[in-house]
Amino acid sequence: MGPLIPNDIIPFEWSSIIAIIIGIFFGFILEASGFSSSRKLAGVFYGYDFAVLKVFFTAALVSLIGLLYMDYLGYLDMSSLYVHPTYTWAAIIGGAIMGIGFVAGGFCPGTSLCAVAIGKIDAIIYVIGIMVGVFIFSELYSIFEPIYTSYFYGNITLVDSLGVDPYWFVFLFTIAAIIIFVLADIIRKRVKKVFY
Amino acid sequence: MINRKLVKFLSFRYVILALIFIILAGGLVLIPKFEKQEGITPEELLSNIISPERYMTTDELAERIINQDPSLLLIDLRDEKTFKKYTLPNAINIPLKNLFNEDSAAFINQDEFDVIFYSNDNFDADQAWILCNRLGYKNLRVLKGGINTWFKTIINPPKPKEHMQNKAFELYSFRKAASMYFGVVYPDQVKTNTPKPIQTAPKKVIPVKKKKKMPVEGGC
């Protein structure tokens, strides 16, 4: 059966339309859960609001468990799913830059666009900043290229590189996630409440 | 009115959600493992089997051998003894039982060559074809009729009857030419080299000219 588009169950031409529909829903839910507030997003780093952590961890768990069940029951072929290629150092450096931007600005790229949609001025400036960053990166690409394209490990997943049983991995990951949720709650109770 | 029971229940909602997660993830660990199907889906295999593309006729094969097609890889599935007796030019011998040995995988599992299976008829070759196709190997074909048909058509082509169509004669002449390529000799093609009587070449008499004495020129 699935994945639907690579297996021609849904024609490839529909992919952009489906992406737009999913994007609209994603943006709506981000906005509805208050993710277009930079205070809520930055709260993870200051320890007064862990909604972002919980939402994204839960989303990852739900999709991971769901995918594995669907793969087990034969509704989905996990091997034909797209796995993003791994470039170690590019990912580490890019992740650090994005993390700094996240703490400093209070948005990640997705939520910043969400906040632009509801007319937040700081988000507009943030997005302009992203554009400037993209421009600088493209202009200086020849300098960054060696880092950007080296340390390539192919389309690997954690399960591949660690060589563990995916089911056990997901089980331990779930338990780790729940422990992290509990810890986050404890931290939140200790930190002075912030009103926003 | 506040439903107190519901409120009490909902105060545990995160614990309940966490339990659901653990149960679902634990279920993944506990479900019985089964071997996943490798290779292509049954539907795909069926459509490949029905497709007439999987057969190659002896005529087509002969033409490609004669044209020295570099993309051809002939695989003889018979045992070694019969392979040594007769086989097609440049064929590789992989008996059916050795088909999935490590060293034969390199020949079959690739997509550069057109792999052509054959055996005495196409029974063994069909088996090999289905097994390999199931594993998703590419560019596999079966020689229709195998070596038996090869003998009947290419090596020993039947002469067409007088009333037959022109095409049959064309095919016959092609097959005859092909069989000559593969080393068959026809009586009308054989040159009768009756030894010619050795003719003794008439002796040529070359008169040796006597050197004229040069007149003495000048000098002392």
Side-chain angles (χ1 to χ4, degrees):
Chain A
M1 268 282 291
L4 298 175
I5 290 172
N7 283 355
D8 274 346
I9 293 163
I10 297 174
F12 175 75
E13 287 74 17
W14 280 91
S15 60
S16 316
I17 293 165
I18 292 169
I20 289 169
I21 293 168
I22 293 175
I24 287 170
F25 275 99
F26 182 66
F28 175 77
I29 289 164
L30 280 183
E31 165 56 25
S33 25
F35 278 24
S36 47
S37 156
S38 54
R39 289 202 187 99
K40 200 174 188 82
L41 291 163
V44 182
F45 302 101
Y46 298 108
Y48 60 81
D49 194 328
F50 290 97
V52 180
L53 181 96
K54 284 180 183 168
V55 165
F56 283 113
F57 235 120
T58 314
L61 271 182
V62 169
S63 55
L64 191 51
I65 293 174
L67 282 177
L68 281 174
Y69 270 110
M70 280 165 81
D71 181 52
Y72 183 84
L73 297 172
Y75 295 120
L76 188 101
D77 183 11
M78 285 268 273
S79 57
S80 54
L81 288 181
Y82 174 74
V83 176
H84 200 73
T86 304
Y87 296 90
T88 324
W89 277 101
I92 291 171
I93 295 168
I97 293 172
M98 192 188 133
I100 293 166
F102 203 147
V103 183
F107 292 113
C108 68
T111 51
S112 71
L113 290 175
C114 233
V116 168
I118 60 165
K120 289 206 164 175
I121 294 165
D122 60 338
I124 293 169
I125 292 166
Y126 188 90
V127 170
I128 291 170
I130 291 178
M131 299 298 175
V132 172
V134 169
F135 179 75
I136 291 171
F137 177 77
S138 346
E139 285 300 310
L140 299 182
Y141 179 72
S142 52
I143 297 172
F144 296 129
E145 201 183 1
I147 308 169
Y148 188 70
T149 53
S150 58
Y151 300 101
F152 177 59
Y153 287 94
N155 303 18
I156 53 165
T157 60
L158 262 181
V159 172
D160 295 332
S161 53
L162 296 179
V164 291
D165 181 55
Y167 298 138
W168 273 104
F169 178 77
V170 171
F171 183 62
L172 297 177
F173 188 69
T174 310
I175 289 174
I178 288 165
I179 291 170
I180 289 168
F181 291 167
V182 173
L183 284 179
D185 264 2
I186 293 169
I187 295 170
R188 192 174 56 96
K189 275 172 196 159
R190 294 249 174 123
V191 174
K192 214 175 97 185
K193 276 216 160 162
V194 174
F195 293 97
Y196 51 90
Chain B
M1 200 196 107
I2 302 165
N3 188 342
R4 285 186 186 280
K5 271 188 184 171
L6 188 67
V7 169
K8 207 179 174 189
F9 177 74
L10 282 182
S11 66
F12 293 110
R13 60 189 184 277
Y14 292 120
V15 178
I16 292 163
L17 284 175
L19 279 177
I20 289 173
F21 262 131
I22 290 176
I23 290 166
L24 281 176
L28 279 176
V29 177
L30 294 177
I31 45 176
K33 303 289 168 287
F34 65 91
E35 201 130 310
K36 270 214 135 182
Q37 180 209 328
E38 276 178 40
I40 60 172
T41 58
E43 294 83 17
E44 224 174 310
L45 181 67
L46 189 66
S47 80
N48 283 349
I49 289 173
I50 295 167
S51 156
E53 278 259 308
R54 77 189 183 104
Y55 283 117
M56 179 178 267
T57 58
T58 45
D59 296 315
E60 195 187 338
L61 181 64
E63 198 181 334
R64 285 178 70 170
I65 293 176
I66 292 167
N67 290 334
Q68 295 183 335
D69 190 335
S71 66
L72 211 58
L73 184 64
L74 295 166
I75 290 184
D76 191 330
L77 293 159
R78 302 169 305 163
D79 51 11
E80 213 170 313
K81 217 170 111 190
T82 39
F83 174 75
K84 275 183 180 157
K85 252 186 221 164
Y86 177 82
T87 191
L88 302 181
N90 297 329
I92 296 161
N93 181 222
I94 301 176
L96 187 59
K97 58 177 193 272
N98 296 349
L99 194 63
F100 294 112
N101 280 7
E102 265 179 47
D103 36 338
S104 46
F107 292 116
I108 309 165
N109 187 12
Q110 40 80 35
D111 48 4
E112 283 170 35
F113 294 99
D114 278 342
V115 174
I116 289 140
F117 288 129
Y118 66 90
S119 48
N120 276 336
D121 45 20
N122 52 15
F123 189 71
D124 279 3
D126 269 336
Q127 277 185 20
W129 185 89
I130 286 176
L131 290 171
C132 291
N133 216 285
R134 170 81 172 62
L135 290 172
Y137 296 174
K138 290 185 189 91
N139 300 337
L140 304 173
R141 297 180 82 180
V142 169
L143 179 63
K144 191 156 196 174
I147 288 286
N148 293 347
T149 309
W150 175 264
F151 264 97
K152 272 182 220 153
T153 54
I154 303 296
I155 302 300
N156 190 15
K159 234 179 187 172
K161 300 267 159 39
E162 296 285 322
H163 63 272
M164 277 176 156
Q165 277 183 348
N166 204 13
K167 258 190 181 170
F169 284 92
E170 275 170 26
L171 188 64
Y172 175 69
S173 63
F174 164 73
R175 284 173 171 178
K176 200 171 157 188
S179 69
M180 287 193 289
Y181 177 86
F182 292 108
V184 179
V185 181
Y186 287 89
D188 53 331
Q189 300 289 325
V190 178
K191 277 183 188 166
T192 46
N193 41 347
T194 43
K196 281 177 188 171
I198 301 159
Q199 288 175 345
T200 44
K203 272 185 184 171
K204 262 187 183 172
V205 180
I206 303 165
V208 180
K209 277 180 186 171
K210 276 185 179 170
K211 275 184 182 172
K212 273 180 188 173
K213 264 198 172 175
M214 296 294 276
V216 182
E217 275 175 43
C220 35

